[in-house]
Amino acid sequence: QQKLQYGAQYTGKRTDAAMNKWRSNRFGQFIHWGLYAIPGGVWNGKTYNYAAEFLKSSAKIPTSTWDSLMYQFNPVKFNAKEWAKMAKKMGAKYMTITTKHHEGFCLWPTKFTEFNISHTPYKKDILKELVEAYNAEGIDVNFYYSVLDWHHPDWRYDIKSAEDSIAFRRFLKFAADQLRELATNYPTVKAFWFDGTWDNSIKKNGWWTLEVEKMLKEVRPGAIVNSRLRADDFGKRHIDSNGELMGDYESGYERRLPNPYKDLQVTKWDWEACMTVPENQWGYHKDWSLSHVKSPLELLEMVVHTTSMGGNFLLNFGPAGDGSIRKEEQNIAAEIGAWMQANGHVIYNCDYAGWEKQDWGYYTKQKGSNTLNLVVFNVPVSGLLKIKAPAGTRFKTKQGLEEIAKDQYLFHMPIQLYKVPQVIILETESNSGSGDKYQEAKT
Ligand SMILES: COc1ccc([C@@H]2N[C@@H](C)[C@@H](O)[C@H]2O)cc1
């Protein structure tokens, strides 16, 4: 353990009301929307299959050319209320919007750069429209903010000279001013999702990442920041040099999930995974035939998998440049929403149950209750679900349960064709299941 000036500010999970709400939300909608949605991965008639929000670099487009897309941004089909209603029907409890992505274009009328929505044909404050529409549906709104900024002349990837250092200090003030502006002018914002913080320039300025965390929590008490913002005294990111998580939740699971057998360390802190529908498209891409597009059921399993390990799942939508939502995303929202409508009680306010994962699916546990939720994706040919209970567990539920050895059971599923994940609720006796674990075999 060494004394850090810019390391973790506390250890363990926050238990204040704001963080408890963030945690209980469990399932959110990510929205990537910016100038990149206009070309949608196609430039001068050539389709680029890398992430559409990176088209500027994939197609080697000069900044001045790219930035002139601002004068075309006029989403005539944009309707914030429709987006919010779709998210509500999907069962999303929060939404995270790209206020500014790496391109540097701002969806709000910021005072600190002209490269913003007020200078587009659309003119109006899209961020305000989205915050109001989603909040009206009872959905919390969080802000994604990319520190990396391709547009701003003072951005630096590294600090290699006095000039770099002077320019980058100006840049860090610009970014802090924008963040203060966001936290001040949109008072219902709940959390800040930082991205674009992996470069040496940020790693050499860990002090700034802590200053931003403190400022946001001062301006907006209860505000939540992700670990991706943070670098410590030695440039160590997410986890400080003493092994403590920085920020309020771990945000390293991007387009991947922790292994439910081997990565149980994630259960010791709050965390969130974010996921694309295609293999790797966050912004709108015109051609989704270029990679596998995940089905509603594949994505629903990821939601359940994440809850079963005590994390939040942020599912990405990439609206088109005209403000429309593509049919694949509409369908995903409808199908996931149908299941969440009937079974959200095994997701919302649920957490890691501490039971050993089995092949048939996932366990979740309602916070502070003795009900154990089994979410079955893979029904065994035998119809018998294997359950290994923590030592000394006593069940209240008798129906369908057959004890086959100490703390080992089979649950008899009715033999039928299942089309959607099945939920089985078991009741355990309140003080049972905390007994000693078998001694692991020495190998
Ligand atoms: C390989 O490097 C990157 C850099 C940035 C990203 C951004 N993070 C995601 C949340 C999206 O915003 C993507 O553009 C992804 C991969």
Side-chain angles (χ1 to χ4, degrees):
Q1 292 289 334
Q2 48 193 330
K3 182 85 189 79
L4 294 171
Q5 275 191 285
Y6 313 127
Q9 297 298 292
Y10 66 88
T11 59
K13 295 181 185 179
R14 268 176 57 174
T15 54
D16 57 290
M19 197 71 201
N20 289 343
K21 175 63 169 67
W22 180 93
R23 186 180 303 116
S24 73
N25 284 346
R26 284 299 181 228
F27 179 41
Q29 178 192 38
F30 212 165
I31 296 178
H32 274 73
W33 203 30
L35 301 181
Y36 43 77
I38 297 170
V42 179
W43 196 261
N44 290 339
K46 187 175 181 320
T47 298
Y48 293 78
N49 64 10
Y50 192 59
E53 72 281 0
F54 272 86
L55 180 66
K56 181 176 181 286
S57 44
S58 320
K60 298 182 177 45
I61 301 163
T63 297
S64 55
T65 307
W66 183 267
D67 291 359
S68 63
L69 284 168
M70 174 166 79
Y71 302 111
Q72 295 174 43
F73 193 74
N74 189 17
V76 292
K77 291 184 181 168
F78 173 55
N79 182 317
K81 291 189 177 70
E82 276 174 20
W83 288 16
K85 282 186 174 44
M86 180 192 69
K88 179 80 174 187
K89 277 181 62 183
M90 179 166 77
K93 293 290 185 192
Y94 67 104
M95 182 276 278
T96 301
I97 175 71
T98 50
T99 60
K100 183 187 84 164
H101 202 259
H102 310 331
E103 64 183 3
F105 174 69
C106 303
L107 283 185
W108 82 101
T110 177
K111 287 207 314 284
F112 302 99
T113 171
E114 309 243 309
F115 195 36
N116 75 64
I117 192 71
S118 63
H119 298 279
T120 68
Y122 187 79
K123 290 190 181 11
K124 290 172 292 184
D125 182 347
I126 277 188
L127 195 59
K128 188 168 189 290
E129 289 184 271
L130 285 169
V131 169
E132 289 177 349
Y134 275 78
N135 285 175
E137 293 291 338
I139 299 175
D140 291 339
V141 174
N142 302 334
F143 291 162
Y144 166 109
Y145 182 87
S146 173
V147 180
L148 166 59
D149 186 321
W150 295 332
H151 170 84
H152 199 289
D154 290 334
W155 166 260
R156 293 292 183 279
Y157 288 97
D158 200 352
I159 312 298
K160 293 208 176 329
S161 67
E163 195 282 333
D164 281 344
S165 184
I166 293 161
F168 201 61
R169 277 207 181 270
R170 278 196 305 266
F171 179 82
L172 291 175
K173 180 171 181 341
F174 155 78
D177 286 345
Q178 285 206 311
L179 288 160
R180 180 183 290 274
E181 182 181 50
L182 285 168
T184 306
N185 296 352
Y186 304 90
T188 63
V189 63
K190 295 291 179 291
F192 290 83
W193 206 105
F194 286 90
D195 203 6
T197 51
W198 47 81
D199 288 300
N200 284 339
S201 51
I202 301 291
K203 289 160 79 171
K204 291 174 177 174
N205 286 282
W207 64 272
W208 178 83
T209 72
L210 176 56
E211 196 170 280
V212 161
E213 175 176 351
K214 286 179 171 175
M215 178 272 293
L216 291 173
K217 293 179 174 180
E218 218 172 276
V219 171
R220 199 51 49 210
I224 293 160
V225 300
N226 64 340
S227 60
R228 196 176 297 200
L229 162 64
R230 301 278 281 103
D232 76 358
D233 311 47
F234 302 98
K236 189 93 168 51
R237 298 185 57 238
H238 293 272
I239 315 281
D240 73 16
S241 304
N242 292 327
E244 297 295 344
L245 179 72
M246 293 184 280
D248 301 304
Y249 66 94
E250 199 276 323
S251 58
Y253 286 99
E254 180 169 316
R255 294 194 302 114
R256 63 190 178 97
L257 295 182
N259 180 298
Y261 301 93
K262 293 192 283 223
D263 295 330
L264 290 174
Q265 75 281 358
V266 301
T267 61
K268 72 183 175 198
W269 47 49
D270 284 306
W271 61 280
E272 179 193 65
C274 58
M275 190 59 65
T276 51
V277 177
E279 282 309 301
N280 185 16
Q281 293 296 339
W282 297 93
Y284 178 82
H285 196 292
K286 284 175 181 159
D287 185 353
W288 268 20
S289 72
L290 298 170
S291 83
H292 172 64
V293 175
K294 300 175 191 77
S295 68
L297 204 48
E298 278 179 278
L299 293 163
L300 177 57
E301 177 160 2
M302 293 181 181
V303 176
V304 177
H305 176 151
T306 303
T307 299
S308 81
M309 297 185 77
N312 282 13
F313 189 77
L314 188 58
L315 175 57
N316 185 69
F317 284 61
D322 65 2
S324 61
I325 304 285
R326 67 196 316 143
K327 63 178 175 7
E328 298 94 333
E329 292 177 347
Q330 297 268 8
N331 179 48
I332 283 162
E335 295 217 12
I336 290 181
W339 191 86
M340 292 298 278
Q341 182 75 33
N343 302 288
H345 56 91
V346 304
I347 301 294
Y348 306 129
N349 203 29
C350 285
D351 210 323
Y352 170 58
W355 290 45
E356 184 184 307
K357 173 139 181 6
Q358 302 296 334
D359 290 347
W360 44 258
Y362 307 86
Y363 293 109
T364 74
K365 202 163 184 342
Q366 189 75 32
K367 193 172 164 60
S369 83
N370 295 311
T371 53
L372 183 75
N373 306 314
L374 285 66
V375 189
V376 185
F377 284 84
N378 314 306
V379 179
V381 288
S382 65
L384 303 174
L385 305 185
K386 185 178 166 207
I387 296 173
K388 278 181 71 177
T393 298
R394 291 191 313 284
F395 284 101
K396 273 187 189 158
T397 310
K398 301 294 172 221
Q399 173 76 23
L401 261 185
E402 175 195 351
E403 185 164 9
I404 53 170
K406 184 173 175 337
D407 302 318
Q408 301 221 21
Y409 299 82
L410 293 175
F411 183 86
H412 292 246
M413 283 193 79
I415 299 287
Q416 68 181 70
L417 190 63
Y418 297 102
K419 304 290 267 182
V420 291
Q422 299 298 299
V423 170
I424 295 156
I425 312 260
L426 299 180
E427 291 290 334
T428 60
E429 300 291 348
S430 53
N431 57 2
S432 71
S434 46
D436 62 306
K437 296 252 187 289
Y438 279 121
Q439 181 68 34
E440 288 298 314
K442 291 198 180 353
T443 54

